[in-house]
Amino acid sequence: MLDILKKNKVWLSVGIIWLFHISAVIGITLGNLNWFIEKTPINLGLSFFLFLFIYPINNLKKVTALLLFFVGGMFAEWLGVNYQILFGEYKYGHNFGPKLDGVPYLIGAYWALLTFITASILDFTTLPYRVKIIGAAGLMVILDFFMEKSAPTFHFWTFSGGMPTFENYWTWLLVGILFQVVLKLFNIKGNQVFSLNLYLAQLCFFVYFYFYD
């Protein structure tokens, strides 16, 4: 039994990810918004756990990169939330779990997670490495774009004035490029199947709710 689980751990993880996201889409559509959205920390925490399980983050180089992206993401968001320096004027809601000076710990983990999986999606192509870096950062921005419309409804975060300005997306791209460059310098590659499915599950979820209204 353990051998079967080890051999199929990627597809089992992919199945769990899609199950959670599809269940949330159905549940929210049927009117159970609060129940499902309050479980956001569980969903993101599970995705992060599966990410650690599949890659895995099992040596000093990978741990260092993960910590850099976590701390870098937290610091960028801290500047944004407290000083409106990077992403505009916004604040986080209550559905991202515990916070450090207004910034949820999960958002730091999410920056790290997105950096790794978007890089992995493009790493297995024959594109030039500069295109891979910009393309991976672009995938991060695309996901953020579709998240923004639902974020206030889901009590993730709220921008002053309702929606973010171009500054938010431009900064996301620049920070994403910086993180992707660091990842390339570390020469870390992940699992393409897992990364692609996790990204698509989240993208499909937020695209659906982008057009849901």
Side-chain angles (χ1 to χ4, degrees):
M1 185 64 177
L2 287 176
D3 288 338
I4 295 175
L5 289 174
K6 288 180 180 179
K7 289 179 181 178
N8 296 282
K9 66 178 183 179
V10 173
W11 291 109
L12 287 171
S13 299
V14 166
I16 291 170
I17 287 167
W18 280 105
L19 175 63
F20 268 66
H21 284 80
I22 292 172
S23 298
V25 167
I26 294 172
I28 294 170
T29 302
L30 292 177
N32 299 304
L33 172 65
N34 289 334
W35 192 91
F36 278 93
I37 294 306
E38 287 172 359
K39 306 301 184 292
T40 297
I42 296 175
N43 189 16
L44 284 180
L46 177 64
S47 296
F48 191 69
F49 171 79
L50 291 174
F51 157 73
L52 296 176
F53 177 61
I54 296 300
Y55 263 65
I57 306 301
N58 58 358
N59 59 45
L60 181 60
K61 184 167 66 172
K62 292 178 181 179
V63 171
T64 301
L66 183 70
L67 290 175
L68 280 175
F69 301 143
F70 174 81
V71 173
M74 289 289 291
F75 181 66
E77 298 284 351
W78 180 78
L79 289 175
V81 167
N82 292 286
Y83 297 100
Q84 296 80 49
I85 290 178
L86 295 178
F87 305 104
E89 188 174 348
Y90 67 105
K91 62 180 180 179
Y92 279 98
H94 58 268
N95 275 339
F96 257 111
K99 303 172 186 175
L100 175 63
D101 203 13
V103 181
Y105 292 100
L106 270 177
I107 204 66
Y110 198 57
W111 269 102
L113 178 68
L114 275 184
T115 300
F116 276 96
I117 67 171
T118 52
S120 293
I121 292 170
L122 294 179
D123 269 343
F124 293 89
T125 70
T126 57
L127 294 169
Y129 79 94
R130 291 184 181 86
V131 177
K132 291 181 181 180
I133 288 171
I134 297 172
L139 289 178
M140 297 171 73
V141 175
I142 289 170
L143 184 56
D144 176 63
F145 173 81
F146 285 107
M147 290 177 73
E148 294 295 350
K149 185 178 179 182
S150 302
T153 304
F154 293 169
H155 302 290
F156 289 171
W157 59 79
T158 306
F159 274 87
S160 176
M163 293 300 289
T165 62
F166 180 74
E167 174 188 9
N168 173 67
Y169 304 112
W170 179 242
T171 307
W172 255 86
L173 182 64
L174 291 179
V175 176
I177 288 174
L178 175 62
F179 284 8
Q180 295 294 336
V181 168
V182 171
L183 196 59
K184 288 292 180 291
L185 292 175
F186 276 88
N187 194 30
I188 298 172
K189 290 182 170 59
N191 185 282
Q192 187 184 36
V193 172
F194 174 82
S195 299
L196 181 61
N197 277 276
L198 178 54
Y199 181 85
L200 287 178
Q202 298 208 349
L203 182 64
C204 289
F205 179 88
F206 288 108
V207 167
Y208 173 82
F209 287 107
Y210 185 87
F211 294 105
Y212 178 67
D213 294 339

